[in-house]
């Protein structure tokens, strides 16, 4: 089973194969631009692009210093999208994220001041360091793409995704993400410490003067705009899925619910998320319809955060990834 998480012009209609090929080529150029700043995280770059195509959010998990923040900043610059960063802390309030009403002395009334959530890519850094009350402030934004303050709903920009980071080994001063919020993330991507050769290349770039705080000097330039990204989304959404593949996704989800190692299996929202991610991956790969291979490739990053393991499985050291891979081996693949 393969795990994929291992100058702007006005777009024409994405309906023709030539248009789809052009858009795929532009997204390939985005990967190249991100590669000017980030080394050895090609799978995570692909995952973020898939999330953008499928209108989903991403949870990035990795120890400090593996370029999670740099990855998101580089991607937003290559896509010419606005991005804002919020450092989640225990004293962060919901209004610090969504915005709030403030008194305007000139008008004598209250006006709404937008919070950092009003952006294209919101980098929620160390999201598990803030209490559930503030985490829940993101739920409406992530699901409805809007913010409601004082009874008024305000639409967020399009595109809008949340790219949240968390440290997998630090527990002091952190809060577990609510299941309802975890379920809103399309993908959970793990960023590992790079291999030796990759880490040597990182040092070589720094020795040559690379400054991660100055992406323009690093040569990262916009190669795709919001209009072309919208066209790519439309094209990816047109990818087909036959009845056998849809039934295969449901069978995989039902298998997670029957697994003796799983306390809570994948919900119907998880099946629709897997379908959306598989369609985006199939489109990026040049296919007109998804296959079981595309489903298998996206299954682990889409479902690894959606299942709850039984305590005995956790005590035995069995991880969600291993359980999902085992389920893929057990469920019959449609021919």
């Amino acid at each position: 089973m393969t795990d994929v998480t291992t100058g702007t012009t006005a777009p024409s209609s994405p309906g023709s194969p030539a248009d789809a090929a052009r858009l795929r080529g532009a997204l390939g150029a985005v990967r190249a631009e991100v590669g000017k700043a980030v080394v050895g995280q090609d799978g995570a770059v692909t995952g973020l692009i898939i999330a953008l195509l499928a209108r989903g959010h991403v949870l990035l998990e990795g120890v400090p210093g593996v370029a999670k923040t740099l990855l998101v900043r580089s991607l937003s610059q290559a896509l010419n999208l606005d991005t804002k960063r919020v450092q989640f802390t225990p004293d962060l309030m919901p209004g610090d994220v969504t915005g709030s009403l403030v008194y305007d002395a000139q008008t004598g009334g209250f006006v709404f001041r937008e919070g950092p959530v009003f952006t294209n890519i919101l980098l929620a850094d160390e999201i598990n360091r803030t209490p559930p009350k503030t985490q829940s402030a993101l739920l409406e934004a992530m699901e409805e793409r809007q913010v409601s303050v004082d009874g008024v709903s305000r639409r967020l920009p399009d595109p809008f995704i949340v790219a949240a980071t968390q440290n997998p080994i630090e527990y002091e001063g952190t809060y577990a993400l609510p299941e309802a919020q975890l379920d809103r993330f399309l993908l959970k991507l793990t960023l590992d410490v790079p291999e030796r050769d990759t880490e040597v290349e990182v040092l070589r770039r720094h020795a040559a003067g690379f400054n991660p705080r100055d992406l323009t000097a690093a040569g990262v330039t916009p190669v795709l705009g919001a209009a072309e990204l919208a066209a790519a989304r439309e094209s990816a959404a047109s990818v087909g899925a036959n009845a056998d593949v849809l039934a295969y996704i449901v069978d995989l989800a039902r298998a997670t619910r029957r697994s003796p190692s799983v306390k809570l299996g994948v919900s119907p929202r998880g099946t629709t998320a897997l379908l959306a991610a598989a369609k985006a991956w199939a489109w990026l790969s040049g296919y007109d319809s998804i296959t079981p291979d595309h489903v298998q490739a996206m299954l682990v990053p889409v479902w690894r955060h959606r299942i709850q393991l039984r305590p005995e499985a956790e005590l035995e050291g069995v991880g969600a990834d291993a359980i999902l891979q085992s389920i893929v081996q057990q469920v019959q693949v449609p021919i």
Side-chain angles (χ1 to χ4, degrees), residues 24-108:
R24 278 193 291 269
L27 287 171
V30 169
R31 289 196 193 98
E33 290 299 314
V34 175
K36 295 177 180 179
V38 180
V39 183
Q41 299 293 357
D42 295 341
V45 176
T46 301
L48 283 166
I49 291 175
I50 287 173
L52 281 165
L53 289 173
R55 293 178 168 84
H57 310 288
V58 180
L59 182 61
L60 302 169
E61 186 173 270
V63 297
V66 292
K68 298 187 295 294
T69 302
L70 180 61
L71 173 62
V72 175
R73 289 178 51 239
S74 302
L75 180 68
S76 64
Q77 179 144 331
L79 290 169
N80 198 26
L81 296 177
D82 181 53
T83 183
K84 290 185 174 67
R85 177 179 178 272
V86 178
Q87 182 66 49
F88 279 66
T89 57
D91 60 348
L92 194 72
M93 300 297 293
D96 298 329
V97 178
T98 62
S100 57
L101 295 174
V102 296
Y103 181 73
D104 187 341
Q106 293 183 344
T107 62

Side-chain angles (χ1 to χ4, degrees), residues 122-318:
L122 177 67
L123 176 57
D125 219 351
E126 296 185 293
I127 190 173
N128 57 337
R129 282 197 170 278
T130 200
K133 181 178 181 180
T134 303
Q135 291 175 2
S136 65
L138 278 178
L139 280 175
E140 182 185 14
M142 294 173 70
E143 184 66 21
E144 306 295 338
R145 263 66 174 184
Q146 68 179 25
V147 166
S148 297
V149 176
D150 197 35
V152 178
S153 297
R154 297 170 172 86
R155 299 296 301 176
L156 296 175
D158 185 44
F160 169 75
I161 73 165
V162 174
T165 72
Q166 68 176 12
N167 184 341
I169 62 173
E170 191 169 7
Y171 300 103
E172 185 175 351
T174 64
Y175 302 83
L177 295 181
E179 292 302 320
Q181 186 168 9
L182 278 174
D183 208 31
R184 262 62 175 192
F185 285 102
L186 177 72
L187 303 174
K188 179 181 177 181
L189 306 177
T190 56
L191 280 70
D192 298 322
V193 175
E195 300 291 336
R196 180 182 182 276
D197 291 345
T198 302
E199 194 165 1
V200 169
E201 173 61 18
V202 172
L203 286 183
R204 188 196 66 77
R205 293 190 180 192
H206 280 265
F210 170 71
N211 181 3
R213 297 170 184 81
D214 188 354
L215 296 178
T216 301
V220 180
T221 57
V223 294
L224 195 72
E228 283 185 313
L229 179 59
R233 283 177 162 181
E234 183 181 345
S235 184
S238 68
V239 170
N242 65 46
D244 288 342
V245 175
L246 296 179
Y248 179 52
I249 294 175
V250 172
D251 289 341
L252 288 166
R254 293 175 67 85
T256 67
R257 301 165 196 161
R258 296 192 301 265
S259 173
S261 300
V262 176
K263 179 171 65 175
L264 179 64
V266 173
S267 70
R269 181 186 283 123
T271 60
T272 58
L274 180 55
L275 174 62
K279 291 177 72 170
W281 177 233
W283 181 83
L284 278 174
S285 304
Y287 286 77
D288 295 328
S289 182
I290 64 172
T291 69
D293 286 342
H294 299 126
V295 173
Q296 292 175 3
M298 296 308 307
L299 183 140
V300 171
V302 174
W303 284 359
R304 60 164 49 118
H305 57 295
R306 299 175 188 271
I307 62 174
Q308 281 188 16
L309 305 186
R310 295 189 182 277
E312 50 268 32
E314 294 179 339
L315 289 174
E316 293 173 1
V318 178

